[in-house]
Amino acid sequence: MTTQTPMLLKGGPIAADIRETVAADVAAFEAKYGFAPELAIVVAGADAPSMVYLKKILDGCEKVGLGGRLVELGGECSPEEMTRTMEALGAEPHVAGIIVQQPLPDCIPLRVVIDAMDPRKDIDGIHPLNAGLLALGYEGYLPATAHASVELLKRSGIELAGKDAVVVGRSNVIGKPVAQLLLRENATVTTCHSRTADLAGVVRRADIVVVAIGRAAFVTGDMLKPGAVVVDVGINVTDAGLIGDVDFDSAIDVASAITPVPGGVGPLTNAILLTHLMRAARDQAAHTVAPGLPSLRFSEPQAEVTS
Ligand code: NAP
């Protein structure tokens, strides 16, 4: 039990600040280049819950003055159709960013999407070029959820340098990039997965715990070190509603700070995605105006995570 009231790490207020900045960036971009950048969301296969999520992203674009387009290929689309669609979007100057809804239907291997993705428009960081840039400490496009998870900690004033951080989950879209971002912030990072021996023992040593496994209420308060900071990335649809991968009711008695679900990482993810879109738009516009310039930044490794 902690004696102090735990801090709730809410994504909404931070997301609102970010959206305000993005709206101003969009207006400035439009004044300079004469058009508003556009996000294209490619969907293969109809999946009702994810469509609700995608509509939220499109609404978010509209609110800050960005264009947004759903490109629906239908459940039975062929790899060739996906390739053609991705390449056509890659060639459209107004489309600054492309995301492809996952999971993909069985008929479309992820490899097909990656092969056809223009890395300069890969604003959710699925392309190996962007994953490689992150791994080497350069500024590629980060997976938005992973970026949001670490940004939430930083903007909430949580000290990361020198802390023991445990990431539970090792997916390419969340667990691995979160671990790399925490390492970039000078935390000492351990990554756990389904084959980790004594998961509870490893988690109990952590000052910072980030959980992204897709198992409802899996991490409980008795697995946490008193005073731990907990980021729950999980979103699980249950009969009791949306719940995270952390058992909030027991964890809040032990943690010094914790994200609610919903209301934690989720709202920030969408706002972060908009910042990635604007960065891509600016880089592409600069590249078009001055074609010799690279549109991904092969800068020196960054100490700071930027959007
Ligand atoms: P994923 O690709 O299924 O990966 C799950 C990871 O969790 C795997 O690395 C797996 O280990 C590990 N794992 C599964 N069961 C475990 C266990 N019992 N103990 C330890 N590790 C275990 O999932 P994901 O795409 O990373 O998503 C994770 C969660 O985040 C889901 O709940 C998803 O809905 C949520 N999500 C949230 C947002 C947001 O904006 N908040 C966005 C996207 C996704 P192995 O590698 O050994 O199999």
Side-chain angles (χ1 to χ4, degrees):
M1 287 268 274
T2 51
T3 46
Q4 284 183 338
T5 310
M7 190 201 309
L8 269 189
L9 304 172
K10 292 187 182 174
I14 302 170
D17 285 351
I18 291 176
R19 271 199 213 90
E20 210 174 295
T21 307
V22 172
D25 288 351
V26 175
F29 183 97
E30 207 169 352
K32 185 166 180 187
Y33 296 106
F35 69 94
E38 193 178 332
L39 169 68
I41 306 178
V42 180
V43 186
D47 167 359
S50 70
M51 292 304 269
V52 172
Y53 167 69
L54 299 180
K55 293 236 159 62
K56 259 192 190 166
I57 298 179
L58 292 175
D59 285 351
C61 286
E62 197 183 336
K63 279 188 187 134
V64 296
L66 287 162
R69 188 194 314 177
L70 208 55
V71 182
E72 293 181 76
L73 303 185
E76 296 306 316
C77 95
S78 65
E80 293 75 21
E81 191 185 355
M82 175 62 86
T83 301
R84 272 196 305 277
T85 303
M86 296 290 292
E87 288 178 352
L89 291 169
E92 269 195 54
H94 290 195
V95 173
I98 305 168
I99 58 177
V100 180
Q101 177 61 10
Q102 293 189 48
L104 291 158
D106 291 344
C107 54
I108 315 275
L110 179 60
R111 178 66 196 256
V112 168
V113 173
I114 287 173
D115 281 349
M117 173 69 87
D118 181 339
R120 296 166 310 163
K121 298 192 177 186
D122 174 32
I123 61 164
D124 204 16
I126 63 165
H127 194 283
L129 175 65
N130 284 310
L133 289 170
L134 169 62
L136 297 181
Y138 294 88
E139 275 188 83
Y141 289 105
L142 305 171
T145 304
H147 191 180
S149 304
V150 176
E151 202 62 19
L152 185 54
L153 290 168
K154 289 174 66 182
R155 292 199 186 220
S156 303
I158 305 290
E159 180 66 46
L160 298 173
K163 299 293 179 186
D164 279 327
V166 166
V167 181
V168 189
R170 59 172 164 183
S171 70
N172 288 338
V173 288
I174 306 179
K176 279 182 197 155
V178 164
Q180 283 169 335
L181 289 171
L182 289 171
L183 194 57
R184 193 187 277 193
E185 298 300 329
N186 299 311
T188 302
V189 185
T190 304
T191 304
C192 299
H193 45 77
S194 66
R195 306 287 296 275
T196 296
D198 187 20
L199 180 76
V202 177
V203 170
R204 208 172 286 120
R205 290 200 295 269
D207 304 306
I208 315 274
V209 183
V210 181
V211 190
I213 57 175
R215 303 268 184 275
F218 185 86
V219 171
T220 48
D222 60 353
M223 293 167 72
L224 299 171
K225 174 170 159 178
V229 173
V230 181
V231 175
D232 185 355
V233 188
I235 299 176
N236 303 284
V237 183
T238 71
D239 292 343
L242 273 192
I243 60 173
D245 289 344
V246 177
D247 178 40
F248 186 86
D249 291 343
S250 62
I252 199 165
D253 285 340
V254 187
S256 62
I258 183 167
T259 54
V261 175
V265 175
L268 193 51
T269 297
N270 292 352
I272 289 279
L273 200 60
L274 301 181
T275 67
H276 293 185
L277 184 69
M278 279 315 294
R279 176 184 151 200
R282 281 191 295 264
D283 283 356
Q284 287 157 41
H287 187 56
T288 307
V289 172
L293 292 174
S295 52
L296 281 173
R297 287 175 226 170
F298 296 92
S299 53
E300 286 307 305
Q302 299 287 309
E304 284 294 305
V305 177
T306 55
S307 52

